[in-house]
Amino acid sequence: YVGDAPHTMGGSQSSWSTPGGGQWALPAGIACLESDLDATQKVYVGPPLNPPMLMLQDNTSGHGEYVRVMALDLCSGRLISGGGDGAIRIWNLADKLEFAHEVHAMSVRSLLVWERYLLSGHPDGTVYVWSLPGLDLLQTIKYHNEAVYAMCDAGDRVLIGADGISVHTKGQPGFWTGKADCFDCVKTVPAEVLSMCRLPDGSFVTGNMDRSLQVWTSEVEHKKTIAAHSRSIWAVVYAEPFLISGSADNTIKVWGPDDWSLIRVIEEHDGWVVGLSASGKWLSSASLDHTLRLW
């Protein structure tokens, strides 16, 4: 994780960033993960993108409806997927994409692996906290009224973005049971958040419904607002030293490291840009035009 000791699976490593803002170490052979509206998960593998080459290794029909989000549990080497059918499914990645376990909630909008917890965000603003790897329901978090599209690992805290940003820390042991409650909410701030990523200095950036990027301090104090796109911002990722955003205006924008000024606009997609991932020199983007592109 960013700001924490990396979890590795052995072998050569590359970096992975999720829409929720987590950055991960991955085996160099896994190049990208994609979810699609046809309810399939696709794993693309190849050499460490030098030169870039993606080959479809497995195409698994895993959900009854669209697959909205995926996350990696690197401690167990498993893929977690969630979608419109309300199922959260865990898949083994050791040899092939093999179904392992599932639970059912409502339609899943976001997933975050934090320590040995899985957090799932849902359309009514609810976040469920599940144990890993068993997916036992531990806690229901309800501080929002709108869909939770963004969650971020902030080291010793979890940030949840929806109709506001709520900050959650791991709970203290209960007086009667001696067991730790999962998460306590310690702060909320107003915002309309669709995407989120953490920066190396502990600050973080949100992509918002109002078409802006907002920069926040590590203490979740507002620092800067950038008039970034002409429509809502569904993806944001940090690719050192740049900040990159993707929007419903079909564009990808690259922002400079000093004052976050705009340095490039990419207009190759014909649909909303809803996913961005950065690894080394490469950026991958996923769009509602049904393409996955490598830059």
Side-chain angles (χ1 to χ4, degrees):
Y1 303 93
V2 172
D4 198 357
H7 294 267
T8 63
M9 293 169 62
S12 179
Q13 302 293 325
S14 58
S15 174
W16 171 267
S17 300
T18 70
Q23 289 188 344
W24 315 85
L26 280 183
I30 299 180
C32 190
L33 295 171
E34 176 188 3
S35 61
D36 207 343
L37 295 181
D38 63 3
T40 64
Q41 294 92 241
K42 300 177 175 68
V43 178
Y44 294 89
V45 301
L49 305 181
N50 188 22
M53 180 172 65
L54 300 179
M55 300 172 293
L56 181 62
Q57 175 171 297
D58 201 344
N59 188 3
T60 300
S61 181
H63 284 266
E65 294 186 30
Y66 62 87
V67 180
R68 175 63 181 82
V69 65
M70 294 188 289
L72 287 168
D73 177 13
L74 292 178
C75 291
S76 65
R78 290 180 173 180
L79 168 70
I80 305 168
S81 59
D85 61 359
I88 300 172
R89 292 193 166 193
I90 296 183
W91 308 83
N92 291 320
L93 287 175
D95 299 314
K96 63 179 181 178
L97 199 61
E98 179 183 0
F99 172 69
H101 192 56
E102 78 173 6
V103 293
H104 284 269
M106 66 187 81
S107 175
V108 183
R109 293 293 191 265
S110 55
L111 292 171
L112 175 68
V113 175
W114 189 83
E115 294 186 355
R116 300 310 299 141
Y117 302 104
L118 173 69
L119 285 76
S120 61
H122 300 274
D124 66 348
T126 299
V127 173
Y128 293 117
V129 181
W130 312 86
S131 65
L132 285 175
L135 290 184
D136 297 316
L137 181 61
L138 302 177
Q139 184 180 3
T140 300
I141 299 174
K142 190 67 167 78
Y143 282 90
H144 302 279
N145 295 313
E146 301 293 335
V148 177
Y149 284 105
M151 293 187 285
C152 182
D153 172 9
D156 61 346
R157 298 168 297 164
V158 168
L159 308 180
I160 298 174
D163 52 341
I165 301 170
S166 58
V167 183
H168 301 262
T169 60
K170 197 170 182 180
Q172 299 298 315
F175 179 79
W176 295 107
T177 66
K179 297 180 180 179
D181 298 327
C182 289
F183 293 96
D184 293 330
C185 182
V186 296
K187 186 173 186 178
T188 60
V189 295
E192 289 287 342
V193 178
L194 296 173
S195 54
M196 191 184 307
C197 75
R198 191 182 181 202
L199 303 178
D201 63 0
S203 61
F204 66 100
V205 176
T206 58
N208 300 329
M209 181 70 77
D210 67 2
R211 304 164 291 180
S212 72
L213 290 170
Q214 287 185 304
V215 184
W216 305 80
T217 69
S218 59
E219 299 303 318
V220 200
E221 301 291 340
H222 179 257
K223 187 176 180 181
K224 183 174 184 176
T225 298
I226 304 168
H229 288 267
S230 61
R231 296 187 69 182
S232 52
I233 302 172
W234 286 89
V236 60
V237 66
Y238 179 74
E240 189 175 4
F242 304 110
L243 180 69
I244 303 172
S245 58
S247 169
D249 64 11
N250 302 354
T251 68
I252 299 169
K253 293 189 177 183
V254 182
W255 307 88
D258 297 326
D259 56 358
W260 304 124
S261 58
L262 181 64
I263 62 175
R264 185 176 179 186
V265 180
I266 301 173
E267 300 179 298
E268 300 296 325
H269 280 293
D270 295 322
W272 294 16
V273 179
V274 294
L276 293 171
S277 175
S279 178
K281 298 185 297 182
W282 303 99
L283 172 73
S284 60
S285 58
S287 168
L288 293 189
D289 64 10
H290 298 190
T291 66
L292 174 69
R293 300 193 180 214
L294 190 64
W295 311 88

